[in-house]
Amino acid sequence: MKIGYSFWGFLGSGITDTPDGGRSHRRPFIDALLDRGHDIVFLQADRDRLEAGDDLGSKYIFDGGFPDIGALFLEWRWAIPGRNTTACGTEGHTCDLHRQAQLINHYTVRHQTPTVIWDKDRTLRAESVWRRTAHAVVCEAALAPTPGARSLLFPVAEDLLDHSDPAALAARPRDLVLGYVGNQYDRDEPFDRFFAPAAARFEHVVAGKWTKTDRWPHVHFLGRVPFEAATAVYSRSLATVLMLPERYAAAGQMTQRIFEAVLAGCLPLAPADILYVERFVPAELIVRSGSEVTERLSHLRSIAGTQQHADLITACVDRLRLFGLSRQVDTLESVLHQLVQPAATERGAA
């Protein structure tokens, strides 16, 4: 199938000053679709080339028009005042939302093209018309998606899981007890409850865009770091805390931070109020308060480098199979089949 794919971000490392978390999983996901015989044409701007100066070669095709496609796949964009809601050409304007509207009007509305909306940030309203459109399906990266939506998790390549070496990861020297990579967006409450108390006790760093930090003068904020530096932070850190916005936690939506951390041997402590938390981490890493985070970190520091430490990493790696790349591609192909078959039947009847 020829799939028109709309995303606002990067396939490569991109630039530092951007919140694009999709870089951790987008390219493997697309490569897997290509390997299964699908044709992909990207319908937003080639930001790798235009902003990062990266030429990724002829494998990836971008088209600013309206090419003939069999299905439209949207990484859903939403209104961000002062950024993509301003007039084209205005300083600081990004045209992702305008382009998405053009694509929907042309393909989904006018030509009834089968459309998949991946609402990765949980910003699509529950009453959205696209949830009630026969030739459209909404996917969410959650274990308990909105009624009517399909679960399509952020993927991690099985090869990375198969080749991980928990013993070597446990043996690696780590100068930080606690590390975190990610932006502040809607995370103040779990940061207050779980991270900040432990940061007062242990060596730590926080990398990412955190603009309102006066309430935590004891926390060492690094600011934004290049995408590839995330692995370096996790490789130095014994543990991290999986801090999710409430709208993610309530739906069992885990971000890509879990496999970025685990594959670097950084153990993820997970707040107990995350839905289905036991599917993400072993019981030993579930925490209910800041004091429990402190206790667990003291314990982890005492077993660092031991077989018990390696066993915990192994248990975390095993749970990452929930996010397996082939499993997520199977899901998308199932959704596409669900959408395309009725359309083909209607064309045949006509």
Side-chain angles (χ1 to χ4, degrees):
M1 181 183 299
K2 187 171 184 177
I3 302 170
Y5 195 122
S6 170
F7 73 93
W8 187 251
F10 300 90
L11 294 172
S13 294
I15 58 175
T16 300
D17 190 21
T18 178
D20 179 32
R23 287 172 291 186
S24 69
H25 56 264
R26 183 180 294 121
R27 191 170 181 177
F29 187 56
I30 289 163
D31 286 347
L33 287 168
L34 291 170
D35 288 343
R36 291 199 184 187
H38 298 286
D39 291 327
I40 309 288
V41 56
F42 300 116
L43 302 174
Q44 294 269 3
D46 182 356
R47 297 182 67 196
D48 289 278
R49 179 176 58 84
L50 296 174
E51 297 180 39
D54 292 335
D55 183 357
L56 301 180
S58 59
K59 179 179 181 179
Y60 305 112
I61 299 169
F62 289 79
D63 193 320
F66 300 97
D68 185 27
I69 58 175
L72 176 65
F73 184 89
L74 303 167
E75 290 189 18
W76 187 250
R77 303 301 301 163
W78 65 99
I80 304 174
R83 189 186 303 174
N84 59 13
T85 59
T86 54
C88 296
T90 304
E91 183 178 357
H93 173 77
T94 61
C95 221
D96 53 305
L97 193 64
H98 291 169
R99 177 60 172 164
Q100 179 174 270
Q102 291 176 345
L103 296 172
I104 289 174
N105 287 334
H106 178 83
Y107 291 113
T108 313
V109 177
R110 290 179 56 195
H111 293 282
Q112 304 284 290
T113 303
T115 299
V116 179
I117 294 172
W118 198 9
D119 185 20
K120 300 168 72 173
D121 294 272
R122 302 191 65 78
T123 58
L124 186 68
R125 299 188 309 276
E127 66 274 15
S128 170
V129 65
W130 308 121
R131 296 185 186 274
R132 306 188 305 275
T133 300
H135 58 281
V137 170
V138 175
C139 294
E140 297 172 2
L143 296 180
T146 304
R150 292 284 299 271
S151 179
L152 179 63
L153 306 182
F154 302 131
V156 60
E158 286 89 354
D159 283 352
L160 294 177
L161 308 183
D162 294 339
H163 292 100
S164 66
D165 187 343
L169 291 171
R172 179 180 294 171
R174 298 174 187 269
D175 62 308
L176 299 172
V177 175
L178 188 59
Y180 183 77
V181 180
N183 298 323
Q184 186 167 10
Y185 312 133
D186 301 319
R187 288 175 170 83
D188 283 14
E189 193 273 338
F191 193 85
D192 255 338
R193 285 177 61 198
F194 298 104
F195 194 97
R201 294 278 304 277
F202 299 102
E203 302 86 354
H204 68 277
V205 295
V206 176
K209 184 179 181 180
W210 289 71
T211 57
K212 298 178 180 178
T213 60
D214 290 348
R215 62 203 280 187
W216 307 299
H218 65 288
V219 176
H220 183 200
F221 292 97
L222 297 178
R224 273 186 168 157
V225 297
F227 172 68
E228 57 273 13
T231 298
V233 172
Y234 288 130
S235 294
R236 295 175 56 197
S237 304
L238 179 63
T240 188
V241 179
L242 300 173
M243 294 179 286
L244 302 177
E246 193 280 332
R247 68 184 187 277
Y248 289 7
Q253 175 161 323
M254 183 56 64
T255 72
Q256 71 282 355
R257 299 303 178 194
I258 189 170
F259 46 83
E260 292 175 350
V262 170
L263 291 173
C266 178
L267 292 168
L269 299 176
D273 56 4
I274 297 173
L275 187 64
Y276 298 124
V277 66
E278 69 282 354
R279 297 186 65 183
F280 299 124
V281 301
E284 299 95 315
L285 299 181
I286 298 173
V287 292
R288 292 165 180 80
S289 66
S291 61
E292 279 199 7
V293 172
T294 299
E295 291 168 6
R296 300 299 166 83
L297 290 175
S298 294
H299 172 67
L300 293 177
R301 191 163 61 171
S302 73
I303 66 169
T306 67
Q307 184 60 47
Q308 190 177 356
H309 184 193
D311 290 344
L312 269 179
I313 296 175
T314 298
C316 291
V317 172
D318 287 344
R319 280 166 172 76
L320 292 186
R321 297 196 181 276
L322 175 68
F323 302 89
L325 176 60
S326 60
R327 184 173 178 171
Q328 307 315 317
V329 175
D330 285 346
T331 295
L332 179 57
E333 289 190 322
S334 172
V335 170
L336 290 171
H337 180 78
Q338 168 190 336
L339 288 171
V340 172
Q341 285 300 106
T345 301
E346 290 177 10
R347 286 195 298 271

